Amino acid sequence: MDNQPENKSIQLDTDYENHAINMKFSNNLTDDRERGYILSAAFFSYCTSQGLDKQEVIEMVNSNYDQFTGARDTSLFKRL
């Protein structure tokens, strides 16, 4: 009996015209916590592959978090 979990996927696309990043989740990826875990793991994996250490990632998040979550007219997504 195969006890392996089924594969899940997230596709990211830029949408410069609408200043957005679109995310498409596979049909079997419906839990928001699981989506967040996968996106976070991908982000940290990318940071590691770029040679960033833990302190650099902390500083990057501290410096830029509000720019991504601010009001629509001040968000970095507005400038994509």
Side-chain angles (χ1 to χ4, degrees), residues 4-9 26-29 34 38:
Q4 293 289 336
E6 61 183 322
N7 292 326
K8 300 174 182 186
S9 65
S26 60
N27 291 335
N28 61 348
L29 185 52
E34 190 174 23
I38 292 169

Side-chain angles (χ1 to χ4, degrees), residues 57-73:
V57 174
I58 290 169
E59 290 172 12
M60 179 176 49
V61 171
N62 283 339
S63 297
N64 297 294
Y65 188 82
D66 291 338
Q67 293 176 346
F68 283 96
T69 59
R72 179 81 175 145
D73 57 338

Side-chain angles (χ1 to χ4, degrees), residues 9-78:
S9 65
I10 300 172
Q11 178 181 339
L12 302 174
D13 296 303
T14 55
D15 181 352
Y16 292 104
E17 184 176 327
N18 293 308
H19 310 289
I21 295 175
N22 299 317
M23 290 185 273
K24 296 178 186 172
F25 301 96
S26 60
N27 291 335
N28 61 348
L29 185 52
T30 59
D31 184 312
D32 285 340
R33 291 175 300 175
E34 190 174 23
R35 288 176 176 185
Y37 174 79
I38 292 169
L39 289 167
S40 297
F43 170 73
F44 289 124
S45 177
Y46 177 76
C47 290
T48 300
S49 74
Q50 296 302 303
L52 298 173
D53 66 24
K54 183 178 178 180
Q55 189 59 40
E56 289 172 313
V57 174
I58 290 169
E59 290 172 12
M60 179 176 49
V61 171
N62 283 339
S63 297
N64 297 294
Y65 188 82
D66 291 338
Q67 293 176 346
F68 283 96
T69 59
R72 179 81 175 145
D73 57 338
T74 62
S75 170
L76 283 177
F77 291 118
K78 182 72 173 170

